[in-house]
C-alpha cells in the first residue's frame, strides 16, 4: 500500500515577538502600561426625588415671600406721602378736588411702593440664597411668583390701612374747605412687578457669582492628572 499524498497541516505559527496575537477587541484597559479603567457614574441620583425636593422648596419660597407682602403693605401705608384734597359745596352738592394741583405727592406714592418692593426683592433673594445656595429653577420661579403675589397683597393692605376711600363722605366729615388725605392709589400698575424682577435678578446673580461649581470632567482625570484623558486613562500631550 502507498502512503497518502496529502501533506500534514503546517504547525501553528507564533508571532515573531514571541507573544500571543492581540485580541480583536483591543488591549485590555487593565493591562500594564495603561491607566485604570474609567469608573462609571455610580453616584448619579435619580431625577425624581431631587426634582420633588426642589419643587417643594420652590412652593415654600412662594408662600413665604407672598406672606411678607403684609409687611410691605404696612410700610407703604406708613411711609407713602399724602395727597391733600379739599371739599366744597357747589349747587348744594359736594365736590372734591386737589388742594395743590401742581403737587407731586401722587408720584411719590408710586415711587415709595417701587422702592420698598425693590428692597423686599433684594432681601428675599439674599435670604433664599443663604438658605439654599445651589439655586435652581423652582427657587427663581418661587421668588418671581411670590413677589408678584406679595405685591398684590401689599397693594390691597396699604389701601385698607390708608385714608378713607369715600372721599365725599370724608369731606363732609371734616367740613367745607378743610384739607384731608386722599386714599392710597397705585397709578402705575407696573410697580407690582418690581419685587419679582429684583428678586429673580439678584438671586441669579448671587448664584452665578458665589454658588457652588460642579466639577469639570475634562479638567481632571481619574488619577488627578490635568488635561484631557484618552479612553484608557493615559493623559494626552
Amino acid at each position: 500500500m502507498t502512503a497518502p499524498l496529502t501533506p500534514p497541516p503546517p504547525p501553528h505559527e507564533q508571532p515573531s515577538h514571541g507573544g500571543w496575537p492581540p485580541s480583536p477587541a483591543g488591549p485590555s484597559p487593565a493591562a500594564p502600561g495603561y491607566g485604570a479603567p474609567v469608573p462609571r457614574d455610580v453616584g448619579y441620583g435619580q431625577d425624581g426625588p431631587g426634582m420633588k425636593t426642589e419643587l417643594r422648596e420652590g412652593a415654600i419660597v412662594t408662600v413665604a415671600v407672598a406672606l411678607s407682602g403684609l409687611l410691605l403693605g404696612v410700610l407703604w401705608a406708613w411711609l407713602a406721602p399724602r395727597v391733600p384734597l379739599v371739599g366744597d359745596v357747589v349747587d348744594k352738592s359736594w365736590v372734591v378736588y386737589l388742594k395743590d394741583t401742581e403737587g407731586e405727592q401722587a408720584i411719590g406714592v408710586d415711587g415709595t411702593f417701587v422702592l420698598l418692593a425693590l428692597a423686599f426683592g433684594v432681601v428675599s433673594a439674599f435670604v433664599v440664597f443663604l438658605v439654599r445656595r445651589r439655586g435652581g429653577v423652582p427657587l427663581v420661579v418661587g421668588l418671581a411668583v411670590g413677589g408678584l403675589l406679595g405685591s398684590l397683597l401689599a397693594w390691597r393692605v396699604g389701601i385698607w390701612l390708608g385714608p378713607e376711600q369715600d372721599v365725599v363722605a370724608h369731606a363732609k366729615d371734616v367740613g367745607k374747605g378743610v384739607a384731608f388725605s386722599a386714599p392710597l392709589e397705585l397709578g402705575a400698575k407696573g410697580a407690582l412687578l418690581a419685587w419679582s424682577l429684583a428678586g429673580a435678578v439678584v438671586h441669579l446673580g448671587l448664584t452665578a457669582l458665589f454658588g457652588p461649581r460642579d466639577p469639570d470632567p475634562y479638567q481632571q482625570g481619574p488619577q488627578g492628572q490635568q488635561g484631557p484623558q484618552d479612553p484608557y486613562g493615559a493623559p494626552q500631550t
Side-chain angles (χ1 to χ4, degrees):
M1 297 181 63
T2 60
L5 300 178
T6 303
H12 183 71
E13 296 182 357
Q14 299 293 336
S16 59
H17 53 76
W20 292 99
S23 171
S28 172
Y34 294 97
V38 179
R40 297 180 179 271
D41 294 333
V42 295
Y44 252 132
Q46 297 180 353
D47 293 339
M51 181 58 65
K52 289 181 180 179
T53 301
E54 291 186 358
L55 291 177
R56 182 170 60 253
E57 292 175 349
I60 294 174
V61 169
T62 302
V63 175
V65 172
L67 290 179
S68 60
L70 293 171
L71 179 58
L72 175 58
V74 173
L75 293 176
W76 182 48
W78 179 34
L79 298 176
R82 296 293 185 255
V83 180
L85 300 178
V86 174
D88 197 1
V89 179
V90 178
D91 296 333
K92 298 182 180 180
S93 62
W94 281 86
V95 294
V96 179
Y97 55 90
L98 290 172
K99 182 180 179 180
D100 185 6
T101 56
E102 296 181 357
E104 298 180 353
Q105 292 86 350
I107 299 177
V109 172
D110 292 354
T112 302
F113 188 92
V114 171
L115 292 177
L116 290 173
L118 291 175
F120 271 69
V122 172
V123 172
S124 59
F126 267 101
V127 172
V128 172
F129 176 75
L130 293 177
V131 174
R132 184 71 163 80
R133 297 182 64 89
R134 291 195 63 85
V137 175
L139 293 181
V140 178
V141 174
L143 279 172
V145 175
L148 178 59
L149 296 177
S151 297
L152 293 172
L153 180 60
W155 176 34
R156 303 313 303 174
V157 169
I159 292 176
W160 178 63
L161 295 177
E164 186 179 348
Q165 296 294 305
D166 192 346
V167 293
V168 175
H170 199 177
K172 291 179 180 180
D173 292 338
V174 299
K176 178 181 177 181
V178 179
F180 61 95
S181 298
L184 285 180
E185 294 182 0
L186 195 60
K189 298 302 186 291
L192 297 173
L193 301 176
W195 189 343
S196 300
L197 294 177
V201 171
V202 172
H203 186 270
L204 289 174
L206 291 174
T207 305
L209 293 176
F210 307 107
R213 300 291 189 270
D214 293 332
D216 191 350
Y218 296 99
Q219 295 296 328
Q220 185 171 2
Q223 297 179 353
Q225 299 166 338
Q226 300 295 327
Q229 303 290 322
D230 67 4
Y232 304 108
Q236 297 178 355
T237 58

